[in-house]
Structures are given as C-alpha cells and as structure tokens.
Amino acid sequence: MVTRLAGAAAALTFILGTIVIGGAWAVGSASEPDRAARLAEFRRPDAIPFPEANPYSQAKAELGRALFFDPILSRDEGRACATCHVPSLDWTDDQPRAMRNDDAPMAVRTPTLVDIAWIERSLGWDGRFRDLESVAYVPITAPANMDMPEALLNERLSAVPRYVEAFRRAFPEAADEARPVTRPRIEQALATFQRLIVAGPAPFDAWVAGETGAVSPAAKRGFDLFTGKAGCDSCHSGHSFTDGSFHDIGTASGDDIGRGRFFPTSTALRYAFKTPTLRNVARRPPYMHDGAARTLAEVVEIYDRGGIDRPSRSRDIRPLGLTAQEKADLIAFMESLSDAGADGPAHKPIPAEPPRP
Ligand code: HEC
Ligand code: HEC
C-alpha cells in the first residue's frame, strides 16, 4: 500500500515536473507538500516552559528584572548582567569576546539570551552550567567579572528597603522573614526574568503560518538549502534553530577544546561547542564562541569549506560546493529570522500570567 502510494506520488511528480519546466521543481528543489512538513518543524511553541522547582510569578519576574539591570550586583557597582547581555543588542554585546573588568578579553563571546527558556540544561558554550538558575553566581562572583562575594551581595540588597519588600512579594514564604534576601532566591528571580526573553515573531514565522508572501523567494530557496543540500538543520533544528547540543564544526583550534574538557576520552566532544540559536542572528555579529567570524557571509564560507578535517569534526560537516547564488540564499533565509527588534521584556510591563511566546 505504502509502496503503491509512493509510486503514484513519484509518477505524479514526474509528470508535473515535466510540465512545470523552469519552475521550482525543475531546478531540483523540494516539492511543496514536503516543504510544508519541513516548515512545520520550526513552528513556534505555545508556551514558555517554567520548571516545577521555579514556577512563574509576576513578582519574581519583576524582581529578576530589577536585579538583571542593577550594577549593585558587582563589587565596584560598575557592571550589571545587562552590561554584556544588552537588550538592544539582542541580549549579547558587539565584542568578539566578553570584556573582563580590567578590559582584557575573556575566552569566549557573550551568548545571546534570546529563547534561553528552551535550553534546559548544559548552558554555556561548553555546557558547564546544569540549568539557568545555576548560571548567575558564576559571573556575579568571578573576580574578573562582577567580583561580588555572596555574603556581601546579601548584605547590600538587605540594606535597600525596596529590595527587601520585593523579595517578600516574590517569595510569599519569606513574608515574615527579617532577612528574605538569599542566594537561591536571587538565582530563581533572575532565571524567571530571563525565561521571558523570547524571540518575537519574524517574517519566517509568518511564512510557517501560511503567509506565502512573508519572505522573499531567495529566503525560500535558502530554507530549502538549509533543510536540504546544506544540512544545517541537523544541528540548527526546531523553532529556535538549535538542538541544544555540542558539535565540532571544524573551526576552533588552540587550547580551548570546549565540551571536550569535561570528557577527555571523547573524540567527538573535542572542540565541540553549543549550537547557538539562529533567532535574530543577522542582527548580532560577530559570530561563534570566540567571535572569530565577523559576518554571516564569513560563516557561510566556513561551512562551504567544511572546516578542519579531523577526527572530532561532526559527520554533518563537509565541503558543500555552494554557488554564489546559494550562499546569498542561505543568508537571505537567516535574515528572515529577525523579529521586529523590540527588546522583549526589558521595558514592557511584566504580565501577571506567563506570556505566550
Ligand atoms: C562580562 C560580561 C558578562 C556579564 C556581566 C554577564 N555575562 Fe552572562 N555570559 C557571558 C559570557 C562570556 C558567557 C558564556 C560563558 C561560557 O560559556 O563559559 C555568558 C553566559 C551566560 C548564560 C548562558 C547562556 C547560554 O546560551 O548558555 C546565561 C544564562 C547568562 N550568561 C546570564 C547572565 C546573568 C544572569 C548575569 C548577571 C548576574 C550575567 N550573565 C552577567 C558574559 C557576561
Ligand atoms: C554539526 C552541527 C552543525 C551544522 C550541520 C551546522 N551548524 Fe551552525 N553552528 C553549530 C555550532 C556548534 C556552532 C557554534 C560553533 C562555535 O561557536 O564555535 C554554530 C554556529 C553557527 C552560526 C553562528 C551563530 C552565532 O550566534 O554565533 C551560524 C550563523 C550558523 N552556525 C549557521 C549555520 C548554517 C547556515 C549551516 C548550514 C550551512 C550550519 N550552521 C550548519 C552547529 C552546526
């Protein structure tokens, strides 16, 4: 039955393909029904996931936002989370690598926080953080970053009546506590706010929803390459264009072996870094964990060459032999993933119920 149907479909495609000379099928791109199925794989989800151990509340998200933007979290009050995760720069910065507090570059680039709610575990370029809650105290306490001892931070926040009130509101069980400011509560509030940082709808999403004119013909050809000949979606999969996993794409060299440092006996994880989301990607150069690629055109060249051929390199990375037109199409597709440029929950009122993405 299945074979007979498939045979009939093939025959139909053959006939139509012969008739529609010069149409999309004649240049070998996928058929419309097949493309619809591929598009559906990138449909945006209906709800932001909040973990059971740290459910959403408006008061917690509001407190998290206040903390995220407040330089009181750094010892010299010189930097906040938002110093590097800048809302108007898609929650990253424009430096190849993040700046230490002595102005020397760190080892890696500041990742965007867009769609961070869906990266469930293994955060960081090398996956060193087990969940969103556990990230915050690394930048807060790092001597080269915010340089803030845990006890001093509690003391400082406890001396600000506005914060003491906000902690009591955000954590009802602390309503009667004299000192409601604690590390786990700071972590939970910051994480709750960050889960609201969700990409807004892009032209691509309108196309997924059925608006055929929402993106250019070049972007559509780029999507077919992305999910076809170029095989980008084997790693950049799902609505946020990441599998949340780690791969060596053949670019990194030098001392930083990424995820490999935690798995010294694994070949595949040597030089493996986390697949980044491609939401708003056209707007936030430079690229890669070390900011080594300055433009999307450079990124596409890297994939076209196939990177360094070595045992750790992913089997999904190989020279692609793209034409100039195909490279431009891939870039046009990535450009269709940009939202309207609103800076998400940075300035909008925090809603009572978790918003729909
Ligand atoms: C000096 C700039 C800087 C500051 C300040 C900073 N970060 Fe980051 N952030 C980075 C860098 C660089 C990384 C990547 C670290 C790594 O992968 O080892 C990162 C990673 C993250 C991640 C993981 C993202 C991912 O995709 O896996 C989260 C979440 C995060 N930071 C939140 C925060 C919060 C919350 C604060 C404030 C308490 C903060 N950051 C302060 C630069 C900064
Ligand atoms: C084997 C998995 C894999 C495949 C296939 C793949 N990527 Fe990637 N991509 C990654 C990883 C991992 C990174 C981060 C590498 C790094 O930071 O060094 C990345 C980084 C990127 C970046 C930079 C994003 C940023 O925020 O810095 C872009 C753009 C990108 N890929 C586009 C593509 C395109 C286009 C294709 C297809 C031609 C593709 N990728 C194929 C895994 C993959």
Side-chain angles (χ1 to χ4, degrees):
M1 181 64 183
V2 172
T3 334
R4 223 182 320 137
L5 272 182
L12 187 65
T13 308
F14 175 72
I15 294 162
L16 290 173
T18 317
I19 295 167
V20 192
I21 300 167
W25 291 336
V27 293
S29 81
S31 70
E32 290 294 335
D34 171 52
R35 188 197 252 171
R38 279 179 291 119
L39 277 172
E41 310 226 328
F42 297 90
R43 197 181 297 280
R44 289 155 61 82
D46 294 332
I48 302 173
F50 288 89
E52 237 166 78
N54 186 19
Y56 180 79
S57 86
Q58 183 183 29
K60 224 185 321 186
E62 269 167 357
L63 171 59
R65 174 163 71 182
L67 293 168
F68 191 90
F69 288 96
D70 198 338
I72 198 173
L73 266 63
S74 58
R75 189 197 284 263
D76 65 1
E77 306 206 15
R79 44 174 69 196
C81 308
T83 303
C84 301
H85 302 283
V86 188
S88 61
L89 298 173
D90 289 292
W91 305 88
T92 170
D93 56 23
D94 49 12
Q95 311 290 319
R97 292 184 279 152
M99 287 290 213
R100 293 159 45 111
N101 51 17
D102 60 3
D103 289 345
M106 292 184 179
V108 287
R109 166 155 172 70
T110 306
T112 178
L113 298 182
V114 164
D115 282 0
I116 199 74
W118 284 274
I119 311 266
E120 284 170 33
R121 57 197 119 80
S122 307
L123 289 100
W125 288 105
D126 60 7
R128 68 178 61 201
F129 309 111
R130 72 177 182 280
D131 57 22
L132 190 51
E133 280 74 6
S134 68
V135 176
Y137 271 70
V138 174
I140 290 173
T141 56
N145 200 347
M146 300 166 96
D147 192 23
M148 177 58 110
E150 195 178 320
L152 181 58
L153 180 54
N154 288 354
E155 209 174 289
R156 266 207 204 157
L157 292 173
S158 299
V160 183
R162 181 172 53 84
Y163 268 122
V164 174
E165 270 319 298
F167 275 84
R168 292 203 179 111
R169 265 199 311 277
F171 299 95
E173 73 276 15
D176 300 323
E177 289 176 20
R179 292 179 66 92
V181 179
T182 66
R183 170 174 173 164
R185 288 174 185 154
I186 292 171
E187 291 173 332
Q188 293 196 354
L190 279 167
T192 302
F193 168 65
Q194 291 173 87
R195 291 194 173 98
L196 298 182
I197 304 172
V198 170
F204 173 76
D205 301 301
W207 185 35
V208 172
E211 245 181 77
T212 48
V215 305
S216 66
K220 291 180 183 177
R221 291 192 303 267
F223 174 74
D224 288 338
L225 287 162
F226 192 89
T227 53
K229 175 179 170 181
C232 313
D233 65 335
S234 59
C235 305
H236 297 283
S237 54
H239 70 97
S240 203
F241 300 88
T242 169
D243 57 2
S245 192
F246 303 84
H247 311 273
D248 171 19
I249 59 166
T251 52
S253 49
D255 296 341
D256 192 350
I257 57 166
R259 189 114 182 101
R261 77 177 115 254
F262 305 117
F263 301 89
T265 55
S266 158
T267 305
L269 291 175
R270 233 181 129 71
Y271 299 114
F273 294 88
K274 193 173 67 205
T275 311
T277 174
L278 297 184
R279 289 281 172 181
N280 299 338
V281 70
R283 236 177 15 219
R284 45 178 178 79
Y287 301 107
M288 305 301 180
H289 72 282
D290 54 0
R294 281 167 304 170
T295 61
L296 283 183
E298 278 185 32
V299 171
V300 171
E301 287 303 330
I302 289 168
Y303 283 112
D304 189 46
R305 285 197 301 274
I308 305 165
D309 187 358
R310 57 188 173 198
S312 55
R313 189 183 65 177
S314 163
R315 271 180 231 132
D316 293 319
I317 300 288
R318 62 197 180 278
L320 296 172
L322 299 171
T323 65
Q325 173 77 65
E326 288 173 328
K327 291 175 188 171
D329 290 346
L330 269 176
I331 293 173
F333 164 65
M334 288 192 270
E335 285 169 346
S336 79
L337 304 178
S338 293
D339 63 21
D343 43 15
H347 304 294
K348 280 193 286 210
I350 301 276
E353 294 299 323
R356 284 171 58 92

